[in-house]
Structure formats: C-alpha cells, structure tokens
Amino acid sequence: SLLERTFIGPAKARSCTWSPDNTSVAAAFSNGVVIIWNVPPARSERPEIYFKAHSAPVNFISFSPDGSLIMTASDDETIKLWEVETLNEVAQLISHSGPVEMAVFSPDGREILSCSHDETLKLWQAGVLTPVRTFEGHDGFVLSCDFSPTHQTCVSASDDRTVRLWDYLPVLFFCCCSDFLESSL
C-alpha cells in the first residue's frame, strides 16, 4: 500500500471528505474543529484552514455538490452551513433533540437529509430553516442516511439493527446550493 500524505489533527478525527473539484480534503474532529487542507500541490502538512465549528464533537462533514458550502453535523444537536470562501456560518439548522450523526446534501444540492440519536431523519429544503418532513420509525439511534441517486427515496441505518428505505416526494422548486446562503443573509 502506498501512503501519499499524512495530516495530523488536534483531536480524534470523526469524518473526512473531498471537495467536489478534488482540490481539498476537509476533516472534522472530536473537539469541534474543522480543518481543510489543499491537495496537491502544497508540500506542507500544515492546515490551510482551521476553525472551531461547534462546541461539541463534529460527527460528519460534507461539501455541497457545487462546492460553495461545507456542512457539519454535531453532538451539539445542530447542523451548520459554512460558506467555503469566507468560512462565515450562513445557516444553523436546529430541530433534532439528540446528537446529529450525519447530514447529507441531495445530489442536486436542493435538500439536506439528517439523522440523529433522537431516532429520526429530517428533510430540509433550501431557504427553509425548519425541517419540511420528519421520518420516524427507528427504535434506536439513526447513525447513517443518504438520498437515492434517483432522488425518490432515502435510506437510513440504525443501531436498532434495521436499514430502512423511505419514500418521499421532493418538493419541486428552482434553487441551488447558494439559496441556503441567500435565505440566511
């Protein structure tokens, strides 16, 4: 196995992701910090961007499909959206009553799906800071979720030993990831 580079963080690494343009790696840590490294050509292992995103562990990090936003999900029961260019917090999604394990953008970037220890999934839309739908049915922490590529169903996995498929009809509207920015300014 070939190891190309090693990055050292300030605490336990909880999640990592590539930027859509393949130029950066972002990582989330148990002390609430997010670090972004440029990959390549930087020769240094020092972070390019380092910031405190949450007051509790960050469980998941992802880029929006267009690369304009970073989304973080945390034990502090919140999801935050950060503008990549400025690192300004542009939205905070609050509705879960337990640590948020994961939050993912839909393939088109118009919606967000989140899952939590509160045994629910929540569906969020651009421009709406409250969930438009809550999926209930698990009897344990929901640890993972994702949209289907066809955008007609979503999937969740729980420590109740189940994986569930959920049908939903996404609300049709015309926006893009930047609508999350515009609605919160």
Side-chain angles (χ1 to χ4, degrees):
S1 69
L2 300 174
L3 177 64
E4 188 173 313
R5 292 176 71 182
T6 300
F7 301 107
I8 305 295
K12 291 180 181 178
R14 307 285 295 258
S15 179
C16 60
T17 189
W18 281 97
S19 63
D21 64 3
N22 205 37
T23 61
S24 316
V25 170
F29 295 89
S30 61
N31 64 348
V33 165
V34 166
I35 299 178
I36 303 170
W37 291 273
N38 290 335
V39 184
R43 298 188 190 279
S44 169
E45 305 309 325
R46 290 181 298 124
E48 312 294 333
I49 300 168
Y50 181 108
F51 67 101
K52 183 79 169 179
H54 292 267
S55 60
V58 180
N59 297 317
F60 197 79
I61 187 168
S62 63
F63 282 92
S64 61
D66 68 2
S68 67
L69 300 174
I70 291 175
M71 180 167 50
T72 54
S74 173
D75 276 1
D76 67 9
E77 303 180 1
T78 68
I79 301 158
K80 293 184 180 181
L81 298 170
W82 307 87
E83 187 176 38
V84 171
E85 288 296 315
T86 64
L87 292 183
N88 288 331
E89 180 183 323
V90 295
Q92 184 171 233
L93 308 178
I94 301 171
S95 181
H96 285 290
S97 60
V100 182
E101 281 293 327
M102 189 173 187
V104 295
F105 285 99
S106 62
D108 62 9
R110 295 178 178 168
E111 295 171 312
I112 291 170
L113 184 66
S114 60
C115 61
S116 170
H117 289 198
D118 66 7
E119 303 180 357
T120 69
L121 289 89
K122 298 200 183 264
L123 180 67
W124 312 78
Q125 290 179 338
V128 181
L129 298 179
T130 57
V132 295
R133 184 152 179 207
T134 298
F135 300 91
E136 298 178 301
H138 282 292
D139 293 320
F141 298 162
V142 185
L143 304 173
S144 183
C145 62
D146 202 4
F147 289 97
S148 70
T150 61
H151 206 182
Q152 295 176 353
T153 59
C154 54
V155 63
S156 60
S158 170
D159 68 1
D160 67 5
R161 303 184 323 165
T162 65
V163 174
R164 295 177 183 239
L165 296 177
W166 306 87
D167 285 325
Y168 76 97
L169 244 148
V171 175
L172 299 175
F173 59 90
F174 299 97
C175 71
C176 62
C177 295
S178 61
D179 288 341
F180 279 104
L181 292 173
E182 294 166 10
S183 67
S184 59
L185 298 177

